[in-house]
C-alpha cells in the first residue's frame, strides 16, 4: 500500500488499533515473542505520529495496515465530525437494537441463526458462541483481560493463575496455541465473557456497515477488553477503499458511542 503520510502526521486511535492487530498477528505466527509483543503494543498505544507507529512493525512480514489519508475538505477535525447527526444516530441505534432483539427472540430462520446474521466465521453467532465455549472448556475460565476476534481466528489474554500480574496469550483458529503473555494491572477487574449478549453482538456485527456509514464492508473485528472504567467492546468495520468506522458498546449490547466513516475527512 502506498505511503502518503508524512512523518509528522498525527496518529489516530484507529491507526493504533490497526498496528496492534498487526502485532497480534506477529505474535500468533511466531515473529514476536511475548515480551516483544508487550513492548511494541505499549509503544504503539503511546505513539503520537504515524511514523512512530510504523516503526514498531517495519521489520514484520505483514502488509502496512495504515491506509493513505483521504482528501481533506479543509475543515479541522473535531469529535463532532466523527459522530453522526443526533437524530439520525438515535434512529439508527433504535433500529439496530430492535434488529439485535429479533435475533434473541427468533428471526427469519430460528433453526439457523447464522443464516439470518450472515456468515462471518467466528464473528457469526455460532462462531462467537464457539469461541466463548472453547475458552470455558479448554482454558477453564470465562474471565479474560482481552479478547480480539477476527473472522478466522481469535486472540485471548487470560490471567496467569500463578502470577496475577501477568497474562497468558492464546491464539485460537480451531485449536489453541499458547504463548507468553504480558504484564497487567491486578487492580483492573477482568472481563467476564458470560456477561456479553452474544446474539446482540452478532447482530451489531451484521449491521456494522449501516452503523458506521459504510456501503461496503470487507473486514470486521471485535475487541473486548477490561479497563479501569469497566468492560469495553469495540466493533470495527472497514473496506478495501480505506474507509473505516467503529462503535463502542456495553456487554449488554447498549451503544455507548458511534464513530462512523466520514467521506469528507
Amino acid at each position: 500500500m502506498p505511503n502518503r503520510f508524512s512523518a509528522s502526521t498525527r496518529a489516530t486511535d484507529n491507526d493504533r488499533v490497526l498496528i496492534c492487530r498487526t502485532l497480534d498477528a506477529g505474535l500468533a505466527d511466531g515473529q514476536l515473542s511475548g515480551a516483544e509483543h508487550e513492548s511494541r503494543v505499549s509503544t504503539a498505544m503511546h505513539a503520537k505520529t504515524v511514523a512512530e507507529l510504523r516503526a514498531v512493525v517495519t521489520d514484520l512480514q505483514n502488509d502496512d495496515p495504515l491506509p493513505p489519508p483521504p482528501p481533506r475538505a479543509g475543515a479541522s477535525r473535531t469529535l463532532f465530525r466523527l459522530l453522526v447527526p443526533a437524530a439520525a444516530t438515535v434512529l439508527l441505534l433504535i433500529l439496530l437494537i430492535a434488529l439485535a432483539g429479533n435475533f434473541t427472540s427468533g428471526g427469519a430462520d430460528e433453526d439457523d441463526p447464522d443464516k439470518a446474521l450472515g456468515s462471518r466465521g467466528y464473528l457469526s453467532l455460532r462462531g462467537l458462541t464457539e469461541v466463548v465455549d472453547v475458552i470455558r472448556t479448554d482454558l477453564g475460565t470465562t474471565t479474560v483481560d482481552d479478547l480480539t476476534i477476527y473472522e478466522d481466528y481469535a486472540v485471548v489474554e487470560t490471567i496467569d493463575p500463578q502470577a496475577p500480574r501477568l497474562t497468558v496469550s492464546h491464539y485460537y483458529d480451531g485449536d489453541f496455541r499458547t504463548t507468553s503473555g504480558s504484564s497487567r494491572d491486578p487492580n483492573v477487574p477482568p472481563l467476564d465473557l458470560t456477561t456479553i449478549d452474544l446474539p446482540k453482538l452478532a447482530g451489531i456485527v451484521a449491521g456494522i456497515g449501516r452503523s458506521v456509514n459504510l456501503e461496503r464492508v470487507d473486514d470486521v473485528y471485535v475487541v473486548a477488553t477490561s479497563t479501569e472504567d469497566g468492560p469495553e467492546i469495540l466493533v470495527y468495520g472497514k473496506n478495501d477503499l480505506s474507509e473505516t468506522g467503529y462503535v463502542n458498546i456495553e456487554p449488554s449490547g447498549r451503544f455507548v458511542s458511534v464513530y462512523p466513516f466520514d467521506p469528507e475527512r
Side-chain angles (χ1 to χ4, degrees), residues 158-170:
T158 59
I159 301 174
D160 187 331
Q162 306 300 321
R165 292 181 178 275
L166 298 175
T167 64
V168 181
S169 181
H170 313 269

Side-chain angles (χ1 to χ4, degrees), residues 122 125-142 144 147 149 172 176 193-194 196 198:
Y122 289 127
L125 177 56
R126 181 175 295 148
L128 291 168
T129 302
E130 176 185 331
V131 169
V132 172
D133 285 347
V134 78
I135 290 173
R136 178 190 294 111
T137 57
D138 288 23
L139 303 184
T141 185
T142 59
V144 304
L147 173 62
I149 308 175
Y172 179 74
F176 273 115
L193 298 179
T194 63
I196 300 177
L198 296 181

Side-chain angles (χ1 to χ4, degrees), residues 20-174:
C20 287
R21 180 180 180 184
T22 299
L23 293 172
D24 288 344
L27 173 66
D29 64 17
Q31 294 186 72
L32 296 174
S33 67
E36 288 173 324
H37 177 265
E38 176 189 354
S39 175
R40 294 193 187 200
V41 166
S42 177
T43 299
M45 294 307 294
H46 291 89
K48 290 183 170 55
T49 67
V50 169
E52 292 173 357
L53 278 178
R54 282 204 165 97
V56 302
V57 297
T58 187
D59 61 336
L60 299 182
Q61 298 181 42
N62 302 84
D63 292 334
D64 187 344
L66 299 181
R72 291 182 176 269
S76 61
R77 177 185 175 189
T78 64
L79 179 60
F80 172 80
R81 298 190 62 189
L82 290 175
L83 300 175
V84 294
T89 301
V90 171
L91 177 60
L92 175 62
L93 299 189
I94 291 173
L95 288 174
L96 284 177
I97 291 172
L99 176 65
N102 285 337
F103 296 134
T104 65
S105 58
D109 194 335
E110 253 182 308
D111 294 330
D112 190 358
D114 288 344
K115 185 176 292 185
L117 293 172
S119 176
R120 283 214 173 263
Y122 289 127
L123 292 172
S124 67
L125 177 56
R126 181 175 295 148
L128 291 168
T129 302
E130 176 185 331
V131 169
V132 172
D133 285 347
V134 78
I135 290 173
R136 178 190 294 111
T137 57
D138 288 23
L139 303 184
T141 185
T142 59
T143 58
V144 304
D145 264 14
D146 183 273
L147 173 62
T148 303
I149 308 175
Y150 308 104
E151 291 189 30
D152 51 357
Y153 70 96
V155 178
V156 58
E157 298 273 343
T158 59
I159 301 174
D160 187 331
Q162 306 300 321
R165 292 181 178 275
L166 298 175
T167 64
V168 181
S169 181
H170 313 269
Y171 177 91
Y172 179 74
D173 60 357

